């Protein structure tokens, strides 16, 4: 008998379905009316195999909800449950939307191996669809003087319920939405989309606003912690002032007046050179003019003149070397 059991174990160990080839996340809790997306990982050798998603306590008798070989299960399909395979990452994802309490139960990620004697490779998880309210982020932080926004999700049974935002430990601090799903004050604004989300915004935060808060809808509550940090402008201003002082004390830093002084010196030097050249040119012109006048006087020949002499004679003085032409 022992030998027979050992043979069965050896045979099963060689079957692909016996190995843990598919894995997924742990059990999940989802608010009614919300959606959920589940990743299912598989080994690379099963890239070409059909993947599926089914609902039921036992894998052998579970009800198939989506398969990768069905068009209505494609991500762009109109079905409430869709499946998409990503062979490059060796993972297929399943999305279920508009969940109801009846959707609570066991679900299976499966890789179809085929064959009568080969079991499919699967992994299971339990999904609980609950009534209530949840917060996207339960811890928020912001600087003093700024604002924060908190997002809450609630189930469909709480759509018509008024929503409350309260300081923990102080019931008199509660702010409640009106018939239109809104509340507005100097520092707090609330908006309920009447479908699945409540948004709370706190503006002009002060240090005293730090602490615990809670949001309520019907009998459901969820807590949130808000941290307000001091403004950083004072620190940055101090650092800038220190940098300015250090720069002014730098021995290698040029004085502010040095640059304009250098520019004025260059301009003055250019003007002096220009005036010197102009004066020298004027002197040269005067000298040349004086030299020309002397040469004319030296070359001009004076002839004596007596009345009666050289009658009917014309005399022409030419500015030529000692030439006189008498006609």
């Amino acid at each position: 008998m022992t030998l027979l059991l050992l043979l069965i174990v050896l045979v099963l160990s060689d079957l692909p379905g016996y190995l843990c080839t598919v894995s997924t996340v742990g059990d999940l809790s989802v608010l009614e009316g919300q959606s959920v997306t589940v990743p299912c990982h598989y080994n690379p050798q099963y890239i070409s195999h059909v993947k599926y998603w089914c609902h039921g306590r036992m894998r052998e008798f579970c009800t198939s909800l989506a398969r990768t070989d069905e068009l209505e299960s494609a991500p762009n399909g109109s079905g409430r449950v869709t499946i998409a395979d990503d062979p490059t990452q060796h993972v297929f994802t399943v999305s279920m939307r508009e969940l109801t309490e009846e959707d609570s139960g066991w679900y299976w990620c499966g890789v179809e191996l085929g064959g009568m004697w080969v079991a499919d490779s699967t992994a299971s998880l339990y999904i609980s669809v609950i009534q209530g309210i949840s917060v996207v982020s339960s811890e928020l932080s912001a600087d003093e003087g700024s604002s924060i926004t908190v997002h809450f999700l609630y189930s469909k049974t709480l759509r018509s319920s008024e929503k409350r935002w309260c300081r923990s430990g102080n019931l008199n601090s509660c702010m409640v939405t009106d018939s239109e799903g809104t509340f507005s004050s100097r520092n707090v604004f609330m908006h309920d989309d009447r479908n699945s989300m409540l948004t709370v915004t706190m503006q002009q935060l002060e240090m005293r606003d730090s602490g615990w808060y809670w949001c309520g809808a019907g009998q459901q509550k969820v807590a949130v912690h808000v941290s307000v940090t001091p403004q950083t402008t004072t620190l940055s201003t101090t650092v800038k002032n220190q940098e300015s002082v250090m720069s002014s004390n730098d021995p290698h830093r040029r004085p502010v007046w040095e640059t304009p002084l250098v520019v004025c010196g260059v301009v003055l030097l250019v003007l002096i050179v220009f005036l010197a050249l102009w004066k020298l040119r004027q002197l040269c012109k005067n000298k040349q003019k004086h030299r020309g006048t002397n040469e004319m006087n030296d070359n001009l020949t004076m002839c004596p003149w007596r009345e009666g002499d050289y009658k009917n004679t014309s005399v022409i003085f030419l500015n030529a070397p000692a030439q006189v032409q008498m006609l």
Side-chain angles (χ1 to χ4, degrees), residues 4-52:
L4 180 60
L5 292 175
L6 180 61
L7 290 174
I8 293 175
V9 170
L10 291 176
V11 171
L12 289 176
S13 63
D14 291 333
L15 297 177
Y18 183 80
L19 301 176
C20 182
T21 56
V22 176
S23 62
T24 185
V25 296
D27 297 343
L28 300 173
S29 294
V30 187
L31 291 177
E32 186 180 20
Q34 302 298 314
S35 301
V36 66
T37 299
V38 180
C40 303
H41 303 271
Y42 57 86
N43 287 354
Q45 62 265 34
Y46 301 117
I47 289 178
S48 59
H49 288 248
V50 174
K51 287 81 179 177
Y52 61 86

Side-chain angles (χ1 to χ4, degrees), residues 279-293:
K279 186 67 176 177
L280 183 61
R281 186 164 178 253
Q282 291 296 109
L283 291 174
C284 291
K285 283 185 176 182
N286 293 336
K287 188 174 181 181
Q288 291 177 356
K289 183 177 181 181
H290 182 68
R291 182 182 301 172
T293 304

Side-chain angles (χ1 to χ4, degrees), residues 11 21 30-31 42 95 111 120 137 141 143 153 155 159 167 178 194 207 213 257 259 269 276 279 281 290 308:
V11 171
T21 56
V30 187
L31 291 177
Y42 57 86
S95 297
V111 175
D120 293 343
S137 179
S141 178
D143 292 334
L153 300 175
S155 57
R159 289 175 180 174
R167 185 77 181 251
D178 56 19
R194 296 303 184 89
M207 295 297 298
Y213 295 80
W257 49 265
T259 300
L269 181 61
K279 186 67 176 177
R281 186 164 178 253
H290 182 68

Side-chain angles (χ1 to χ4, degrees), residues 137-195:
S137 179
S138 60
E139 294 189 6
L140 298 99
S141 178
D143 292 334
E144 184 180 9
S146 62
S147 62
I148 60 170
T149 299
V150 194
H151 300 283
F152 299 93
L153 300 175
Y154 55 83
S155 57
K156 67 178 183 179
T157 56
L158 300 175
R159 289 175 180 174
S160 59
S161 301
E162 63 180 19
K163 312 303 187 298
R164 303 180 301 279
W165 173 252
C166 308
R167 185 77 181 251
S168 183
N170 184 6
L171 293 177
N172 295 327
S173 65
C174 290
M175 289 159 277
V176 183
T177 56
D178 56 19
S179 58
E180 296 182 356
T182 60
F183 174 86
S184 180
S185 67
R186 187 176 66 88
N187 295 327
V188 178
F189 177 75
M190 301 171 61
H191 174 69
D192 182 9
D193 66 0
R194 296 303 184 89
N195 181 38

Side-chain angles (χ1 to χ4, degrees), residues 120-140:
D120 293 343
S121 182
T122 59
S124 63
L125 73 157
Y126 191 88
I127 297 179
S128 300
V129 182
I130 61 176
Q131 301 288 334
I133 185 171
S134 65
V135 61
V136 175
S137 179
S138 60
E139 294 189 6
L140 298 99

Side-chain angles (χ1 to χ4, degrees), residues 21-256:
T21 56
V22 176
S23 62
T24 185
V25 296
D27 297 343
L28 300 173
S29 294
V30 187
L31 291 177
E32 186 180 20
Q34 302 298 314
S35 301
V36 66
T37 299
V38 180
C40 303
H41 303 271
Y42 57 86
N43 287 354
Q45 62 265 34
Y46 301 117
I47 289 178
S48 59
H49 288 248
V50 174
K51 287 81 179 177
Y52 61 86
W53 174 259
C54 64
H55 180 209
R57 180 177 293 274
M58 300 180 64
R59 177 185 59 81
E60 292 80 6
F61 303 101
C62 68
T63 303
S64 178
L65 300 178
R67 293 172 58 91
T68 55
D69 59 351
E70 295 178 350
L71 293 178
E72 57 269 22
S73 301
N76 55 355
S78 58
R80 193 170 65 93
V81 182
T82 59
I83 187 171
D85 187 14
D86 184 359
T88 59
Q89 300 294 326
H90 310 135
V91 60
F92 65 94
T93 56
V94 178
S95 297
M96 301 176 63
R97 54 191 179 89
E98 298 178 2
L99 293 170
T100 63
E101 286 186 300
E102 289 75 19
D103 292 321
S104 297
W106 287 96
Y107 290 84
W108 299 81
C109 300
V111 175
E112 193 173 78
L113 303 182
M116 182 181 298
W117 302 103
V118 180
D120 293 343
S121 182
T122 59
S124 63
L125 73 157
Y126 191 88
I127 297 179
S128 300
V129 182
I130 61 176
Q131 301 288 334
I133 185 171
S134 65
V135 61
V136 175
S137 179
S138 60
E139 294 189 6
L140 298 99
S141 178
D143 292 334
E144 184 180 9
S146 62
S147 62
I148 60 170
T149 299
V150 194
H151 300 283
F152 299 93
L153 300 175
Y154 55 83
S155 57
K156 67 178 183 179
T157 56
L158 300 175
R159 289 175 180 174
S160 59
S161 301
E162 63 180 19
K163 312 303 187 298
R164 303 180 301 279
W165 173 252
C166 308
R167 185 77 181 251
S168 183
N170 184 6
L171 293 177
N172 295 327
S173 65
C174 290
M175 289 159 277
V176 183
T177 56
D178 56 19
S179 58
E180 296 182 356
T182 60
F183 174 86
S184 180
S185 67
R186 187 176 66 88
N187 295 327
V188 178
F189 177 75
M190 301 171 61
H191 174 69
D192 182 9
D193 66 0
R194 296 303 184 89
N195 181 38
S196 62
M197 180 176 288
L198 171 70
T199 302
V200 178
T201 300
M202 299 179 64
Q203 301 174 335
Q204 301 176 6
L205 290 170
E206 300 178 2
M207 295 297 298
R208 62 182 181 180
D209 293 326
S210 296
W212 284 97
Y213 295 80
W214 59 267
C215 180
Q219 301 299 318
Q220 305 294 328
K221 297 180 181 179
V222 62
V224 177
H225 187 265
V226 176
S227 298
V228 181
T229 55
Q231 289 183 344
T232 58
T233 54
T234 303
L235 178 61
S236 61
T237 302
T238 304
V239 172
K240 289 182 180 179
N241 292 336
Q242 291 178 353
E243 292 178 352
S244 177
V245 172
M246 293 177 63
S247 299
S248 61
N249 295 331
D250 188 1
H252 301 287
R253 187 173 181 268
R254 292 186 176 184
V256 178

